[in-house]
Amino acid sequence: MNIQAQVTYRYHFCTNSTTFTRNSTFQENLDVLLSSLSSNSTHLSGFYNTSAGQDSDNVYGLFLCRGDLSTDVCKDCVTLATQAIIQRCPTQREAIIFYDECLLRYSNQFIFSRMAQEPVLYLLNSQNITDSRLSSPIVDTTMDDTALQAANASDGKKFAIKKVNITQSQSLYTLAQCTPDISVSVCGQCLQLAISRLPGCCSGKQGGRVLFPSCNIRYEIYEFYNATALPPPSPPPPPAVTRPQGKSGVSRATIIAIVASVTASILLIFMGYYLRCRRERKKYGTIRENSADSDITTVESLQFDLGTIEAATNNFSNDNKLGEGGFGEVYKGIMSNGQAIAVKRLSRNSLQGAEEFKNEVLLVAKLQHRNLVRLLGFCLEGEEKILVYEFVPNKSLDYFLFDPEKRRQLNWPRRYKIIEEIARGILYLHEDSRLRIIHRDLKASNILLNEDMHPKVSDFGMAKIFGVDQTQGNTSRIVGTYQIRLIQLWRLAS
């Protein structure tokens, strides 16, 4: 039997900042770990975590299978994942791979019983919703109910599905799942964060998914899960028995359990309501200079001190310089935890004040799409204004287009895919993001390519951060790079 025909690969992430050498002790431990995960893939819970090695060569790993699948399908998925992750991430100390049926991850850092929100994978159904009754409020409400059921699942699997009839002929199907090693409250928090990401990726679509390492959610207008594989719902509790007066009919332990469950449910409902209200405020851009503590905390959590940036870039060494554009110089940096970053040292002609700059950074940092370069934070000290981005290893698109040797790597299917994904990123900026951003300087050098040659649009927030005079859809001056863009488009399509 062809295992690959039974499971569907979706995506993988390799952390390039920390690697190991082949035939090293770490690789031996990783081989032991993956073998252990594969041999335990028939675990009835569909989840298993373990570790191998010790000290700096220790490696931690886990798998999670979808809760509605049989142990045979789970075993096939985990077996294939243990083989594929080594092929796709051959020397990385940290990696995760997603399938429709399971996920598998490992790391040299301790990952058990902790909520992980990164990396995040968004998947959406390309078909638009045609019935207004299948609107975002219905999806959000149903997803909230499903998340609550998953977090409080009595079997401990932290998995739930739900079907809601919208019309006589149309239904909404939802799924929510957490890794069983996290607590009820943390599971609820993770799922609510995932639900809050749905408008940014999947608004108006017939289906969508948000996948974190610790939890995932999905909705569709067709039955995508195997409902018959799930156990029947628990029978209703027996009727209460009349007790003689003066004797309690319920034990103290039962009362404590009921109170704890009700309290946890109320907290989860409150958290969902709070995040939804916050999401609605973000939708209309209601961020102020003196906003609530949660927004101030978010701003502060994005701020790097100058000493950290200088240490990461070796004091802005020319050896670390990646390039220079109209908004400033770009350097590669390595943080103390091994994370690679791209540091953009802005030129000093911005007219924005410190608070306005912070608020602009906060807004742009909240724009998250797989085809946009992610803004990690900023540094604002003295006259220095610095932006910190994720590091994208394969340089920019022009590096491949205008190099006779590199150009051969761009066959037509890959070029078509690059064009399609660039368009998705721009569409997100124009239509689906919290801000309405017109890039105004889209060119091959502003399209970065990750390790899998997926494009990420960069510099999309520069004009906004610099406070360019713009109102609605009009601008009072010409901006962008003075080039013949037609040549670049022709080179990409030829």
Side-chain angles (χ1 to χ4, degrees), residues 169-211:
S169 60
Q170 189 71 74
S171 298
L172 177 67
Y173 301 85
T174 58
L175 177 151
Q177 184 175 20
C178 296
T179 57
D181 60 329
I182 60 178
S183 67
V184 172
S185 61
V186 173
C187 174
Q189 181 183 358
C190 185
L191 291 173
Q192 287 299 333
L193 286 171
I195 294 170
S196 71
R197 300 284 183 90
L198 280 177
C201 77
C202 314
S203 179
K205 300 299 181 181
Q206 292 185 5
R209 282 183 260 182
V210 179
L211 296 95

Short mmCIF file of all heavy atoms in Angstrom, two decimals, residues 169-211:
data_model
loop_
_atom_site.label_atom_id
_atom_site.label_comp_id
_atom_site.label_asym_id
_atom_site.label_seq_id
_atom_site.Cartn_x
_atom_site.Cartn_y
_atom_site.Cartn_z
N SER A 169 -30.26 22.86 3.09
CA SER A 169 -29.30 22.17 2.22
C SER A 169 -27.84 22.53 2.53
O SER A 169 -26.94 22.02 1.87
CB SER A 169 -29.59 22.50 0.75
OG SER A 169 -29.49 23.90 0.53
N GLN A 170 -27.61 23.39 3.51
CA GLN A 170 -26.25 23.85 3.77
C GLN A 170 -25.92 23.75 5.25
O GLN A 170 -26.71 24.16 6.10
CB GLN A 170 -26.08 25.31 3.33
CG GLN A 170 -24.65 25.81 3.36
CD GLN A 170 -23.80 25.19 2.27
OE1 GLN A 170 -23.92 25.53 1.11
NE2 GLN A 170 -22.93 24.28 2.65
N SER A 171 -24.73 23.21 5.55
CA SER A 171 -24.29 23.07 6.93
C SER A 171 -22.87 23.60 7.07
O SER A 171 -22.13 23.73 6.08
CB SER A 171 -24.33 21.60 7.38
OG SER A 171 -25.65 21.09 7.33
N LEU A 172 -22.50 23.92 8.29
CA LEU A 172 -21.14 24.35 8.61
C LEU A 172 -20.51 23.30 9.50
O LEU A 172 -21.10 22.87 10.49
CB LEU A 172 -21.17 25.71 9.33
CG LEU A 172 -19.82 26.27 9.80
CD1 LEU A 172 -18.96 26.63 8.60
CD2 LEU A 172 -20.03 27.48 10.70
N TYR A 173 -19.29 22.88 9.15
CA TYR A 173 -18.58 21.85 9.89
C TYR A 173 -17.31 22.47 10.48
O TYR A 173 -16.55 23.14 9.76
CB TYR A 173 -18.22 20.68 8.98
CG TYR A 173 -19.41 20.02 8.33
CD1 TYR A 173 -19.94 20.51 7.14
CD2 TYR A 173 -20.01 18.90 8.91
CE1 TYR A 173 -21.04 19.91 6.54
CE2 TYR A 173 -21.11 18.29 8.31
CZ TYR A 173 -21.63 18.80 7.13
OH TYR A 173 -22.72 18.21 6.54
N THR A 174 -17.09 22.25 11.75
CA THR A 174 -15.92 22.84 12.42
C THR A 174 -15.15 21.78 13.20
O THR A 174 -15.71 20.74 13.59
CB THR A 174 -16.35 23.96 13.38
OG1 THR A 174 -17.26 23.42 14.35
CG2 THR A 174 -17.01 25.11 12.64
N LEU A 175 -13.88 22.06 13.43
CA LEU A 175 -12.99 21.16 14.17
C LEU A 175 -12.03 22.00 15.00
O LEU A 175 -11.56 23.04 14.54
CB LEU A 175 -12.23 20.26 13.21
CG LEU A 175 -11.18 19.29 13.76
CD1 LEU A 175 -11.07 18.07 12.84
CD2 LEU A 175 -9.78 19.94 13.87
N ALA A 176 -11.73 21.54 16.19
CA ALA A 176 -10.74 22.19 17.06
C ALA A 176 -9.97 21.11 17.80
O ALA A 176 -10.54 20.10 18.23
CB ALA A 176 -11.41 23.14 18.05
N GLN A 177 -8.66 21.33 17.97
CA GLN A 177 -7.83 20.32 18.62
C GLN A 177 -6.61 20.97 19.24
O GLN A 177 -6.03 21.90 18.68
CB GLN A 177 -7.39 19.25 17.62
CG GLN A 177 -6.61 18.10 18.23
CD GLN A 177 -6.30 17.00 17.24
OE1 GLN A 177 -6.33 17.22 16.03
NE2 GLN A 177 -6.01 15.80 17.74
N CYS A 178 -6.22 20.46 20.41
CA CYS A 178 -4.98 20.87 21.07
C CYS A 178 -4.13 19.63 21.32
O CYS A 178 -4.63 18.50 21.35
CB CYS A 178 -5.26 21.53 22.43
SG CYS A 178 -6.17 23.07 22.37
N THR A 179 -2.83 19.83 21.51
CA THR A 179 -2.01 18.73 21.99
C THR A 179 -2.42 18.45 23.43
O THR A 179 -2.57 19.37 24.23
CB THR A 179 -0.51 19.09 21.93
OG1 THR A 179 -0.28 20.29 22.69
CG2 THR A 179 -0.06 19.31 20.50
N PRO A 180 -2.63 17.18 23.79
CA PRO A 180 -3.16 16.86 25.13
C PRO A 180 -2.24 17.22 26.28
O PRO A 180 -2.67 17.18 27.44
CB PRO A 180 -3.38 15.35 25.05
CG PRO A 180 -3.52 15.03 23.61
CD PRO A 180 -2.60 15.99 22.91
N ASP A 181 -0.99 17.57 26.01
CA ASP A 181 -0.07 17.85 27.11
C ASP A 181 -0.26 19.23 27.72
O ASP A 181 0.28 19.51 28.79
CB ASP A 181 1.39 17.69 26.65
CG ASP A 181 1.75 18.63 25.52
OD1 ASP A 181 0.85 18.95 24.70
OD2 ASP A 181 2.93 19.03 25.42
N ILE A 182 -1.02 20.12 27.05
CA ILE A 182 -1.25 21.45 27.63
C ILE A 182 -2.54 21.42 28.45
O ILE A 182 -3.42 20.60 28.24
CB ILE A 182 -1.30 22.55 26.56
CG1 ILE A 182 -2.42 22.29 25.55
CG2 ILE A 182 0.03 22.65 25.84
CD1 ILE A 182 -2.54 23.38 24.50
N SER A 183 -2.66 22.35 29.37
CA SER A 183 -3.80 22.37 30.29
C SER A 183 -5.07 22.84 29.60
O SER A 183 -5.05 23.33 28.47
CB SER A 183 -3.49 23.29 31.48
OG SER A 183 -3.40 24.64 31.05
N VAL A 184 -6.18 22.69 30.30
CA VAL A 184 -7.48 23.12 29.77
C VAL A 184 -7.47 24.61 29.45
O VAL A 184 -7.88 25.04 28.36
CB VAL A 184 -8.60 22.79 30.77
CG1 VAL A 184 -9.92 23.42 30.32
CG2 VAL A 184 -8.76 21.29 30.92
N SER A 185 -6.99 25.42 30.39
CA SER A 185 -7.00 26.87 30.18
C SER A 185 -6.05 27.28 29.06
O SER A 185 -6.38 28.15 28.24
CB SER A 185 -6.63 27.59 31.47
OG SER A 185 -5.33 27.23 31.91
N VAL A 186 -4.88 26.66 28.99
CA VAL A 186 -3.93 26.99 27.93
C VAL A 186 -4.46 26.55 26.58
O VAL A 186 -4.31 27.26 25.57
CB VAL A 186 -2.55 26.36 28.21
CG1 VAL A 186 -1.61 26.55 27.03
CG2 VAL A 186 -1.94 26.97 29.46
N CYS A 187 -5.11 25.40 26.53
CA CYS A 187 -5.74 24.94 25.29
C CYS A 187 -6.79 25.94 24.82
O CYS A 187 -6.83 26.32 23.64
CB CYS A 187 -6.36 23.56 25.50
SG CYS A 187 -7.32 22.95 24.10
N GLY A 188 -7.64 26.39 25.75
CA GLY A 188 -8.65 27.39 25.39
C GLY A 188 -8.04 28.67 24.88
O GLY A 188 -8.51 29.27 23.91
N GLN A 189 -6.96 29.12 25.52
CA GLN A 189 -6.28 30.33 25.08
C GLN A 189 -5.69 30.16 23.68
O GLN A 189 -5.82 31.05 22.83
CB GLN A 189 -5.17 30.69 26.07
CG GLN A 189 -4.42 31.97 25.72
CD GLN A 189 -3.27 32.25 26.68
OE1 GLN A 189 -3.06 31.50 27.64
NE2 GLN A 189 -2.52 33.29 26.43
N CYS A 190 -5.06 29.01 23.44
CA CYS A 190 -4.47 28.74 22.12
C CYS A 190 -5.53 28.74 21.03
O CYS A 190 -5.36 29.36 19.96
CB CYS A 190 -3.73 27.40 22.16
SG CYS A 190 -2.82 27.00 20.65
N LEU A 191 -6.65 28.07 21.29
CA LEU A 191 -7.71 27.99 20.28
C LEU A 191 -8.33 29.36 20.02
O LEU A 191 -8.67 29.69 18.87
CB LEU A 191 -8.77 26.99 20.73
CG LEU A 191 -8.33 25.52 20.75
CD1 LEU A 191 -9.41 24.65 21.39
CD2 LEU A 191 -8.02 25.02 19.34
N GLN A 192 -8.50 30.17 21.06
CA GLN A 192 -9.06 31.50 20.85
C GLN A 192 -8.11 32.38 20.05
O GLN A 192 -8.55 33.19 19.21
CB GLN A 192 -9.39 32.15 22.20
CG GLN A 192 -10.60 31.56 22.91
CD GLN A 192 -11.88 31.72 22.11
OE1 GLN A 192 -12.02 32.64 21.31
NE2 GLN A 192 -12.82 30.80 22.30
N LEU A 193 -6.82 32.23 20.26
CA LEU A 193 -5.86 32.98 19.44
C LEU A 193 -5.95 32.54 17.99
O LEU A 193 -5.87 33.37 17.07
CB LEU A 193 -4.44 32.76 19.98
CG LEU A 193 -4.09 33.48 21.28
CD1 LEU A 193 -2.74 32.99 21.80
CD2 LEU A 193 -4.04 34.99 21.06
N ALA A 194 -6.12 31.25 17.76
CA ALA A 194 -6.27 30.76 16.39
C ALA A 194 -7.55 31.31 15.75
O ALA A 194 -7.54 31.73 14.59
CB ALA A 194 -6.29 29.23 16.39
N ILE A 195 -8.64 31.32 16.50
CA ILE A 195 -9.90 31.86 15.98
C ILE A 195 -9.76 33.33 15.63
O ILE A 195 -10.30 33.81 14.63
CB ILE A 195 -11.04 31.63 17.00
CG1 ILE A 195 -11.32 30.13 17.15
CG2 ILE A 195 -12.31 32.36 16.57
CD1 ILE A 195 -12.25 29.79 18.30
N SER A 196 -9.00 34.07 16.44
CA SER A 196 -8.81 35.50 16.18
C SER A 196 -8.03 35.75 14.89
O SER A 196 -8.06 36.86 14.35
CB SER A 196 -8.10 36.17 17.37
OG SER A 196 -6.74 35.78 17.44
N ARG A 197 -7.30 34.74 14.40
CA ARG A 197 -6.54 34.88 13.16
C ARG A 197 -7.40 34.59 11.91
O ARG A 197 -6.96 34.88 10.80
CB ARG A 197 -5.35 33.92 13.16
CG ARG A 197 -4.36 34.13 14.31
CD ARG A 197 -3.48 35.33 14.10
NE ARG A 197 -2.49 35.48 15.16
CZ ARG A 197 -1.29 34.92 15.14
NH1 ARG A 197 -0.91 34.19 14.11
NH2 ARG A 197 -0.45 35.10 16.15
N LEU A 198 -8.56 33.99 12.09
CA LEU A 198 -9.37 33.60 10.93
C LEU A 198 -9.73 34.78 10.01
O LEU A 198 -9.64 34.65 8.79
CB LEU A 198 -10.65 32.89 11.39
CG LEU A 198 -10.51 31.42 11.76
CD1 LEU A 198 -11.84 30.87 12.27
CD2 LEU A 198 -10.04 30.60 10.57
N PRO A 199 -10.16 35.94 10.55
CA PRO A 199 -10.52 37.03 9.63
C PRO A 199 -9.36 37.47 8.74
O PRO A 199 -9.57 37.83 7.58
CB PRO A 199 -10.95 38.17 10.58
CG PRO A 199 -11.37 37.48 11.82
CD PRO A 199 -10.46 36.30 11.95
N GLY A 200 -8.14 37.42 9.26
CA GLY A 200 -7.00 37.87 8.47
C GLY A 200 -6.66 36.96 7.32
O GLY A 200 -6.10 37.40 6.32
N CYS A 201 -6.97 35.67 7.45
CA CYS A 201 -6.58 34.73 6.40
C CYS A 201 -7.73 34.24 5.56
O CYS A 201 -7.57 33.96 4.37
CB CYS A 201 -5.87 33.51 7.01
SG CYS A 201 -6.97 32.32 7.79
N CYS A 202 -8.91 34.13 6.16
CA CYS A 202 -9.96 33.32 5.52
C CYS A 202 -11.33 34.00 5.47
O CYS A 202 -12.33 33.32 5.23
CB CYS A 202 -10.09 31.99 6.24
SG CYS A 202 -8.51 31.19 6.59
N SER A 203 -11.38 35.30 5.73
CA SER A 203 -12.67 35.99 5.75
C SER A 203 -13.37 35.88 4.39
O SER A 203 -12.76 36.11 3.35
CB SER A 203 -12.47 37.47 6.11
OG SER A 203 -13.70 38.15 6.11
N GLY A 204 -14.65 35.50 4.42
CA GLY A 204 -15.42 35.41 3.19
C GLY A 204 -15.20 34.14 2.40
O GLY A 204 -15.77 33.97 1.32
N LYS A 205 -14.39 33.20 2.93
CA LYS A 205 -14.09 31.97 2.22
C LYS A 205 -14.95 30.81 2.76
O LYS A 205 -15.39 30.82 3.89
CB LYS A 205 -12.62 31.61 2.36
CG LYS A 205 -11.68 32.67 1.79
CD LYS A 205 -11.91 32.90 0.30
CE LYS A 205 -10.95 33.93 -0.27
NZ LYS A 205 -11.19 34.17 -1.72
N GLN A 206 -15.15 29.80 1.91
CA GLN A 206 -15.98 28.66 2.29
C GLN A 206 -15.28 27.73 3.28
O GLN A 206 -15.92 26.83 3.83
CB GLN A 206 -16.38 27.87 1.04
CG GLN A 206 -17.34 28.61 0.12
CD GLN A 206 -17.82 27.77 -1.03
OE1 GLN A 206 -17.53 26.58 -1.12
NE2 GLN A 206 -18.56 28.37 -1.94
N GLY A 207 -14.00 27.93 3.50
CA GLY A 207 -13.29 27.11 4.45
C GLY A 207 -11.97 27.74 4.82
O GLY A 207 -11.41 28.53 4.05
N GLY A 208 -11.47 27.40 5.99
CA GLY A 208 -10.19 27.96 6.41
C GLY A 208 -9.61 27.19 7.58
O GLY A 208 -10.34 26.51 8.32
N ARG A 209 -8.29 27.28 7.71
CA ARG A 209 -7.59 26.60 8.79
C ARG A 209 -6.51 27.50 9.35
O ARG A 209 -5.86 28.25 8.60
CB ARG A 209 -6.92 25.31 8.29
CG ARG A 209 -7.86 24.16 8.10
CD ARG A 209 -7.10 22.91 7.68
NE ARG A 209 -7.17 22.69 6.26
CZ ARG A 209 -6.63 21.65 5.64
NH1 ARG A 209 -5.94 20.76 6.34
NH2 ARG A 209 -6.75 21.51 4.33
N VAL A 210 -6.30 27.41 10.65
CA VAL A 210 -5.16 28.03 11.33
C VAL A 210 -4.49 26.94 12.14
O VAL A 210 -5.13 26.32 12.99
CB VAL A 210 -5.59 29.19 12.24
CG1 VAL A 210 -4.37 29.79 12.93
CG2 VAL A 210 -6.33 30.27 11.44
N LEU A 211 -3.22 26.69 11.85
CA LEU A 211 -2.50 25.61 12.51
C LEU A 211 -1.31 26.17 13.28
O LEU A 211 -0.39 26.73 12.69
CB LEU A 211 -2.01 24.57 11.49
CG LEU A 211 -3.10 23.81 10.73
CD1 LEU A 211 -3.35 24.50 9.38
CD2 LEU A 211 -2.69 22.37 10.47
#
